[in-house]
Amino acid sequence: MPTPKFKGNALTAFDPTAATPAKGGELEARRIVSRLVLRIATLAVALMLLGATALSYVAVRIFDRDLDTLLAAKAAALGWVLSEDFGRAAALGFPLDRLPDVPRFLEEARSGHAEILYLALLDPAGVPIHATGGIAPDDLSIMTEAIRGASADSPIESMRLESERLNMVLQSVVRDGKSVAAVAVGVDQQYAQRQFEEMVFDVLTVLMVSLFISFEILLAILGRSMITPLRHLVTLLERGSHGRFVTRLEHRSADSVGSVIDAYNKVVDMLHRRYAGLSAKAAAAGHAMASVLDIGHRAGLHADGRPRTLPATSALDVRLPLFLFVFAEELQKPFLPLYVRDLAVGETWLSPEILIGLPISVYMLVLAIATPFAGSLADRFGIKRIFLAGLLPAIVGFIGAAAAQDVVSLLIARSTTALGYAAVTIAAQGYIAGVTTSGERATGMAGYVGTIMIASICGMAVGGIVAGELGYRIVFFLAAILAALAGIAGMQMLAAFRAHDGDTGVRRTSTLAALGIVLSNRLFLALVVFVAIPGKIALTGFLFYSVPLYLAALGTGEAEIGRLMILYALLVIFAGPVLSRLADRAGHTMLFTFAGTLLSGLAIALLDGWQGALAMVVAVGLLGIAHAASISPQLALATEVCRKEVAELGQTTILGLLRMLERIGSVGGPLLVGALVAWRGFEAAMLLTGLGIAVAAVAFLLINVAARRRG
Amino acid sequence: MSIRAKIIALLTTIFLVALGFIFSLNVMKFDTMLHDLAKDRAGIVLGEVGQSLRLAIELGLSLETLESGRALREHAKTKDPAILDLILFGADGRVVDSASASMLDTPIPPSWFASHQHSQGEQWTVVEEERLMTGVPFDTRLGIRAGGVVLVRSLEEEHQRVSDAFVELAIAGAVVLGLMFVLALPGCLFLSRRLRHFLSALERRIADEKVSEGDEAILSAGLARLVDTFSRRARQLDTAISDADAEIQGKRLDRV
């Protein structure tokens, strides 16, 4: 390093406070990396769309070839059965052209075979006597010509004809060895293609999930190798520009980010080394030690020549492990009630409707009880250990759920997974709190919520598809594998440290005492009882419990159920920020909370008078909008009505208590709705649940209006 | 591993996962369709065979006294060569007629019997390994279950077709993946170019080395000022240490 001539007193001229801090460096580094992530994600999506289209096209071409043969064989079997039946009638002397119920008979024969577009009984001249389904005149004339061309003495045996629209199979109806009529079966030429077209939503879902996954992985990998080290580097450069060279950055990488950090570390190492030499000389000389120490003190240099090391950790570290774990856990959402229903066959110790809701309720209960314990374990044993240890019961629970033979064993398995979920999520939150400064914590926690929501969407979408194709048990095995991958990612990406209390300066109070304080606030109590708990009842009792059962009863597949459930999550993610900004701007958090709760109740009650899949789509969509409108304002309102308690206990404690209390609704939701369904049937249960929530919303409004009038 | 290599490896993995998923979906769909077709075909044949058996039972004949089992079997096989056996069994589930002599007078497997019991008069199916069993129960006019018939059909051909399609599609998938990789490569190089220049400029500036004009332009004024201030402070400190060192040396010499 060039050393310009220093003028003046060396021991006093170095003044770190004189430096001018340069702002915005971190922002710039982050902007460049974020732009890169976005562009790469766009490139990935474009290429994935191309690839998916190409592969699907090739698949249809390959499968179509085999399906043609097999569909023709099936059509031949059907033609044979029908010709045998008509042959028996003809043998008994019944005139085939005067049998009045033949069209109905043909229609019945065609039902259940979606690929058969045309079924007919033709006379020896090839003219239809009875027919069902439609046929183009050109196709009919092909069959007519074939029948005319055949001699009565040599009956047609599974003759295959082809047109652009139909694959046709002809089979003679034989009496006394002679052909007296013919059965024609027309198979849709495009059937295979149509079947694969039905998969287009599955493919799009896969692409959407792939996009989210690629975004998460890109953020995790680039975050770890670029965003986090560059962010720390810019902070250290800023400290250096203030004259503080205390810390070197720990980052082992052979890439260009590693080179940049090496360049920085070299400067810091060199200064520390030089200062160590100076200190040694000063000590040996026996004078000027105080002045040398002053330089070291001002610049943060150590006499041992070893700078402090800053590990490159950030909230992004926990993103991928958390994403994989939540993804695994959410896979079961579109079908869990259906799985319980299958396992509950023959179980009589509880009403089936309540029994089906029990695993969701027990899971929520165990989660609520285990969460505080998991928090204290993380304080004691370290966050990384608790994150990894939490995966063990979760994996055991997933495997147990896959192997469950009855509802009780499923309950045990789900409770075990809930223990793991509590540990993993608390550890993830603790990690974010541990690696962020107080100013960054809100952003870190927003990232946590975002990761959970995206993982939830991906999990539900993939879970529905896999369950529909491979069955429920396989999904739980897949969940166990994903949770194990979360463990590998966690081992690689998480730094080991213990949780610390971020709520500094605030009185430490036991949960019970804090509960006593906040529940004495009537407006907070009203918020819990009339908004938060009903909100969770709507979520677990309606969305998680009723939606899969209702749609399955309509014949909807698990993949569609999953897609409908992600509609809710998408609305909360995308409409949530817009609506909460609107609520903040208008300053009507209470009104938004009320309106959201009221709308969620009405959305559910809607299903009393309107039935069918479309009604369910509308109800779920309205619930998504309702929760998007009320969740964030609800949090803002909680801190608003608890100003005194926030000052006393801290905002985190108040919101934590709100989250804890609302779990009463999560636990009770499926049981309550299940009991109502058992008592009055599905429609009445929806009406009662919806009206209950709507009435709670009105009660909440009245209490708040009265409180405001009182001032 | 360089950042470019990391991004390319990452993208390839993501493509692999996405294509793998789409590949699996297609193969599973094909497998389901073939199984459904086999079930339909067996169901159609069984419907026809069952009709004549049902008529006989309704006329009061017991399944044990039926002698047309072999003929029915042969008849069914002409319509679907994959049919392996047509098994008749009584109300207690014991086999009364089968192509396999070893099965005679033995109970049908419990899984078949359970499906038969729960079938409510409709056709039922059980899939075991390479075989599809489609059965139908028979009730007498008095509504008493008289027994049933099971058509055993091989699924070997369907499985072979699925595995052939699997190989063909896997090859196609590998080609598509290769093309995606080839397209992603220049894309990634192009997209990461700005980042590379940014990092190079930052590295050189921190190391107090000369930065090319192109790279220089990529650093914002704010960041450039930050790095310059950092370097200046480092030089000042270095100088301060040198001066202090010199002063100590000087005083030592004075003392000598």
Side-chain angles (χ1 to χ4, degrees), chain B residues 47-153:
Chain B
E48 181 64 13
V49 172
Q51 207 176 358
S52 35
L53 287 169
R54 183 172 285 117
L55 186 69
I57 286 158
E58 284 182 353
L59 288 171
L61 280 167
S62 76
L63 279 169
E64 287 82 352
T65 59
L66 271 175
E67 288 175 357
S68 55
R70 186 189 168 89
L72 282 172
R73 222 167 8 249
E74 294 309 317
H75 191 52
K77 276 189 180 183
T78 60
K79 302 303 161 197
D80 187 352
I83 291 171
L84 300 171
D85 199 358
L86 188 79
I87 299 167
L88 296 174
F89 58 92
D92 58 354
R94 297 190 89 80
V95 175
V96 296
D97 190 70
S98 163
S100 158
S102 64
M103 281 200 81
L104 290 173
D105 210 30
T106 60
I108 58 169
S111 59
W112 302 12
F113 196 65
S115 303
H116 166 75
Q117 295 282 65
H118 293 117
S119 64
Q120 297 181 322
E122 300 293 320
Q123 281 190 4
W124 52 266
T125 56
V126 171
V127 177
E128 283 168 1
E129 295 165 10
E130 294 272 299
R131 297 186 311 163
L132 165 78
M133 270 61 64
T134 308
V136 69
F138 297 128
D139 295 335
T140 64
R141 272 186 187 281
L142 299 169
I144 300 164
R145 179 110 342 153
V149 58
V150 183
L151 198 147
V152 182
R153 189 191 186 282

Side-chain angles (χ1 to χ4, degrees), chain A residues 1-4 6 9-11 14-15 18-20 22-23 25 28-29 32-33 35-36 39-40 43-44 47-48 51-52 54-56 58-59 62-63 65-67 69-71 73-74 77-78 80-81 84-85 88 113 157 191-192 195-196 198-199 202-203 206-207 210 214 217-218 221-222 225-226 230 233-234 237-238 240-241 243 245 253 255-257 259-260 263-264 267 270-271 274-275 278 281-282 284-285 287 292 295 299 301 462 465-466 469-470, chain B residues 1-3 6-7 10-11 14-15 17-23 25-30 32-34 36-37 40-41 44-45 47-49 51 75-76 78-79 153 157-158 161-162 164-166 168-169 172-174 176 179-181 183-184 187-188 191-196 198-200 202-204 206-208 218-227 229-249 251-252 255:
Chain A
M1 173 173 288
T3 48
F6 182 70
N9 189 335
L11 299 182
F14 179 72
D15 178 13
T20 313
K23 301 282 180 192
E28 189 187 346
I32 287 180
V33 178
R35 205 180 292 158
L36 179 72
R39 284 176 179 174
I40 290 173
L43 176 76
L47 287 174
M48 277 195 290
L55 192 63
S56 298
V58 175
I62 292 172
F63 299 154
R65 198 181 52 214
D66 281 337
L67 283 172
T69 317
L70 295 171
L71 285 168
K74 179 184 161 186
L78 186 63
W80 162 70
V81 167
E84 294 264 305
D85 287 344
R88 272 195 288 272
H113 306 293
E157 186 76 27
Y191 178 69
Q195 286 291 300
F196 286 96
E198 280 177 18
M199 272 174 50
D202 286 349
V203 171
V206 168
L207 288 179
S210 304
S214 50
I217 297 178
L218 273 171
I221 303 291
L222 295 184
S225 57
M226 287 164 68
L230 284 179
L233 176 73
V234 173
L237 285 174
E238 275 178 357
S241 71
F245 298 89
S253 163
D255 58 26
S256 18
V257 175
S259 305
V260 176
Y264 164 81
V267 173
M270 183 275 293
L271 291 172
R274 297 257 295 125
Y275 178 71
L278 177 68
K281 280 180 188 167
H287 63 92
V292 171
I295 292 185
L301 303 178
V462 173
I465 294 170
V466 177
E469 295 294 340
L470 297 175
Chain B
M1 196 190 264
S2 74
I3 286 171
K6 270 184 197 165
I7 293 172
L10 200 63
L11 275 183
I14 291 162
F15 292 157
V17 170
L19 284 185
F21 215 125
I22 292 164
F23 170 84
L25 272 180
N26 276 297
V27 173
M28 283 192 290
K29 183 86 181 171
F30 185 55
T32 309
M33 284 170 78
L34 291 198
D36 286 349
L37 275 175
D40 286 356
R41 201 168 159 193
I44 290 167
V45 175
E48 181 64 13
V49 172
Q51 207 176 358
H75 191 52
T78 60
K79 302 303 161 197
R153 189 191 186 282
E157 186 195 344
E158 280 74 16
R161 283 178 191 272
V162 171
D164 289 348
F166 182 94
E168 272 190 75
L169 198 59
V176 171
L179 286 174
M180 286 165 82
F181 176 77
L183 289 172
C188 283
L191 291 179
S192 60
R193 201 179 49 177
R194 189 177 163 79
L195 180 78
R196 288 199 313 273
F198 170 77
L199 292 173
S200 159
L202 197 58
E203 182 191 343
R204 289 181 155 271
I206 290 173
D208 228 9
I218 219 158
L219 286 183
S220 73
L223 190 59
R225 198 164 56 243
L226 173 69
V227 181
T229 315
F230 170 83
S231 300
R232 197 172 64 246
R233 285 289 159 209
R235 279 197 303 273
Q236 283 177 353
L237 184 57
D238 186 48
T239 311
I241 291 170
S242 297
D243 290 352
D245 197 19
E247 274 186 40
I248 289 169
Q249 291 282 9
K251 283 187 180 169
R252 198 184 273 173
R255 211 187 289 167

Side-chain angles (χ1 to χ4, degrees), chain A residues 630-669:
Chain A
S630 61
I631 290 174
S632 293
Q634 200 183 112
L635 298 179
L637 194 62
T639 51
E640 209 174 287
V641 299
C642 290
R643 275 199 197 112
K644 202 177 78 189
E645 290 83 357
V646 167
E648 194 179 348
L649 304 168
Q651 183 172 302
T652 317
T653 307
I654 300 297
L655 295 181
L657 288 172
L658 177 68
R659 288 279 165 256
M660 191 178 89
L661 290 167
E662 72 182 4
R663 284 193 173 144
I664 296 170
S666 303
V667 175

